[in-house]
Structure formats: C-alpha cells, structure tokens
Amino acid sequence: RRPSRATLDLGTGSGYQAAVLAELGAKVYSIEIVRELADSARKRLRSLGYAVQARHGDGYAGWPDAAPFDAILVTAAAPSVPATLCEQLAIGGHLVIPVGEDSQDLLVITRSLEGYTEKNVLPVLFVPMTGRAQALPSL
C-alpha cells in the first residue's frame, strides 16, 4: 500500500465519496456545508470504521490547518477557481472542480514548483456551491 495521501473532499453529502477515498488509502478530510448532512455523515463514517476527519463548514475556504493536500475534490460548481483551494495544494497536487454557472466545465488544476496548470476535462452539470463562493478571490 502507498503511504496515505492527504485528500480534501468538499461536499461530504452522505459520506460515500469520503469512504471510497479512505478505501483507496487516502487520509481524508471532508467538509459539508449542510449541518444535518455533516452530522449524519460523520456518524455514519465513524460507525463503519472510517478514520475520516469530517466537519460542518463552508468548504470554499478549504481546511488550511490540514493543508497541504495531495488532492482536493469538489462536488459543487464554483463560479471560478478558488485561489484559497489552489494555495492548499501540495506541489504535485491536483484540484478537481466543476467551474461555471449556467455552463460548467470540470477542471483539473495541478500545482508545480513553477505554478499552476489547468486542464479542461469535459462539460458537466453540478449543483452550485453555496456559502461564500461568490465573495472570495479566484485564481
């Protein structure tokens, strides 16, 4: 097994993606903006034996205290790429995020020593990110 890779999961929902990431060997940190979902996912993950750090909060700002992350996966569309999330990537890390409002694209942002590269993977349709998504600076 490879060493644990720190992974930030934004939009915990039921906890399914966090559980899959944990099964793949990731050290998972997960944030959910809807308190009821966050509480039930945290209990569910714990009862199933997953060592996932899950909390209620606005994931747009990430989890600075646990950064840097090898991967950040976002399950709601942001209006633009959040600079705060890019800054929390480890060198060689990847941010996978749907971006856009009416029309969205799934982007993969990779951090290197030279900066960031962006790859547009495909058009997608995700629910919009809620919370402070409109107010923070973007890349």
Side-chain angles (χ1 to χ4, degrees):
R1 233 180 166 175
R2 290 181 8 185
S4 294
R5 297 175 60 83
T7 302
L8 180 59
D9 170 37
L10 298 181
T12 311
S14 68
Y16 178 80
Q17 181 168 278
V20 170
L21 292 167
E23 285 288 341
L24 293 172
K27 181 174 183 175
V28 182
Y29 298 83
S30 193
I31 303 173
E32 171 58 52
I33 198 164
V34 178
R35 182 174 297 281
E36 295 78 15
L37 287 175
D39 292 344
S40 67
R42 186 173 37 254
K43 289 175 191 169
R44 181 177 302 109
L45 289 162
R46 186 176 38 234
S47 74
L48 294 170
Y50 291 106
V52 171
Q53 298 292 317
R55 72 178 192 193
H56 167 256
D58 187 337
Y60 196 83
W63 197 322
D65 296 344
F69 297 101
D70 298 299
I72 300 174
L73 304 174
V74 183
T75 59
S80 60
V81 178
T84 52
L85 296 181
C86 291
E87 293 162 2
Q88 291 177 40
L89 282 174
I91 300 300
H94 305 284
L95 165 62
V96 180
I97 183 170
V99 175
E101 293 176 26
D102 296 331
S103 168
Q104 301 169 1
D105 292 302
L106 187 65
L107 304 181
V108 177
I109 310 296
T110 303
R111 185 175 191 178
S112 69
L113 290 172
E114 293 78 36
Y116 301 92
T117 57
E118 179 180 303
K119 179 179 178 186
N120 186 332
V121 179
L122 74 157
V124 292
L125 185 58
F126 281 72
V127 297
M129 188 177 275
T130 58
R132 295 178 292 158
Q134 304 293 324
L136 295 177
S138 59
L139 182 67

